[in-house]
Amino acid sequence: MAGLFFICTSIYHIVAFGTPHLHSKSQDTHFPSPLKKIQLEILGLSSSQSQSGSFALILGEKGGNRRLPIIIGMFEAQSIAIQIEKISPNRPLTHDLFKSFAEHVHVVILEVVISDLKEGVFYSRIVCSDGATTFDIDARPSDAIAIGLRFGVPIFTVESVLSEAGIILSDLDEAEGDADDDEDEEDDEDTDTDSPRASRAQPEPRDPSGQVSLDELTKMLAQALEKEDYEKAAKIRDELNKRNG
């Protein structure tokens, strides 16, 4: 709510006083130039299994094989889901109110950009225009996407964000194949009563430091995605990125 109050206040200042305090394209903009933007599309929305009241919003690289999971709050998830399903609430939600307010002061939304990732927190900008000036407003990705959906504008990110936080499906397909092969081997061995695997469970492969191996983490990531447990997948992805430096 506080974030949307700031956005609405910013639009009011645009109409009343101009845009000196915002990131105008004619001034020093937030985005580097030239900016390589990557378009995203919404692939799914699922409830968090470890954080009550949270949801995982899954964004996919349009025309690519990378996925970007973002954890969002329940209110924002509801607002996004309502817009995706084209449901009209009895009374306007906060993001609907923002759209009505922007339209009345003749401000349009051009695009939404997930522009940065710092210490696990995503940052985004809502790129707007009042007809004379193009400017961008700081917003949480969940609010920015909920608003962007109502204006029917594209969602973008930048390569640095997607390369750091994205999950590549091609690597996961290979991992799933390896995991299936391992399961088949385990089934064959379990049918032999003389096999040690029939009498005791085997520990997960670990490297000399005592950590789960990179290969095993990759397989766990594939399994989490197959089960659509995107929150767990995001945590495993972060651990893989940390291990790979």
Side-chain angles (χ1 to χ4, degrees):
M1 293 294 290
L4 284 175
F5 174 78
F6 169 76
I7 294 172
C8 291
T9 303
S10 298
I11 291 181
Y12 171 78
H13 278 280
I14 294 164
V15 177
F17 308 110
T19 61
H21 67 295
L22 294 176
H23 297 283
S24 171
K25 296 298 181 182
S26 61
Q27 302 174 13
D28 181 21
T29 179
H30 174 80
F31 304 118
S33 181
L35 175 67
K36 181 182 178 182
K37 295 184 295 186
I38 301 168
Q39 188 167 356
L40 302 172
E41 54 187 347
I42 297 177
L43 300 181
L45 191 62
S46 61
S47 60
S48 170
Q49 297 185 5
S50 64
Q51 299 182 35
S52 177
S54 296
F55 290 77
L57 174 65
I58 312 305
L59 303 172
E61 179 184 16
K62 195 167 185 179
N65 62 351
R66 291 180 289 183
R67 301 292 182 262
L68 185 65
I70 300 178
I71 304 301
I72 65 175
M74 180 172 61
F75 171 77
E76 292 77 19
Q78 179 189 45
S79 181
I80 290 172
I82 285 176
Q83 187 62 28
I84 291 175
E85 298 297 330
K86 305 299 181 183
I87 298 173
S88 298
N90 293 330
R91 300 295 297 154
L93 301 179
T94 307
H95 299 111
D96 299 316
L97 178 62
F98 173 89
K99 182 174 186 290
S100 297
F101 180 82
E103 289 175 340
H104 275 78
V105 296
H106 307 294
V107 171
V108 297
I109 307 302
L110 302 178
E111 63 185 28
V112 168
V113 183
I114 301 173
S115 55
D116 207 352
L117 175 62
K118 297 178 181 178
E119 298 180 355
V121 178
F122 291 94
Y123 293 79
S124 67
R125 313 293 296 184
I126 302 175
V127 182
C128 313
S129 175
D130 61 1
T133 308
T134 300
F135 53 92
D136 55 88
I137 301 174
D138 183 27
R140 297 182 304 173
S142 54
D143 286 325
I145 291 172
I147 291 171
L149 285 173
R150 283 159 172 77
F151 281 88
V153 301
I155 303 168
F156 294 97
T157 188
V158 293
E159 179 60 37
S160 59
V161 171
L162 199 53
S163 61
E164 180 177 351
I167 298 172
I168 303 175
L169 289 187
S170 59
D171 294 341
L172 298 176
D173 291 339
E174 295 177 2
E176 287 178 359
D178 293 340
D180 291 340
D181 292 341
D182 291 345
E183 289 177 1
D184 292 339
E185 291 177 3
E186 290 176 7
D187 291 340
D188 293 340
E189 292 176 357
D190 287 345
T191 58
D192 182 1
T193 55
D194 294 331
S195 170
R197 299 180 68 90
S199 59
R200 68 178 185 275
Q202 295 296 311
E204 295 177 340
R206 295 178 180 272
D207 62 22
S209 68
Q211 295 178 316
V212 176
S213 68
L214 289 176
D215 288 342
E216 187 64 22
L217 278 175
T218 303
K219 293 176 184 178
M220 291 168 61
L221 180 58
Q223 292 168 356
L225 286 175
E226 185 177 4
K227 296 177 181 178
E228 297 186 352
D229 186 353
Y230 294 108
E231 183 184 14
K232 181 178 180 181
K235 292 179 180 178
I236 297 173
R237 173 207 63 201
D238 292 342
E239 178 63 22
L240 283 169
N241 289 340
K242 181 180 177 182
R243 298 270 195 97
N244 292 326

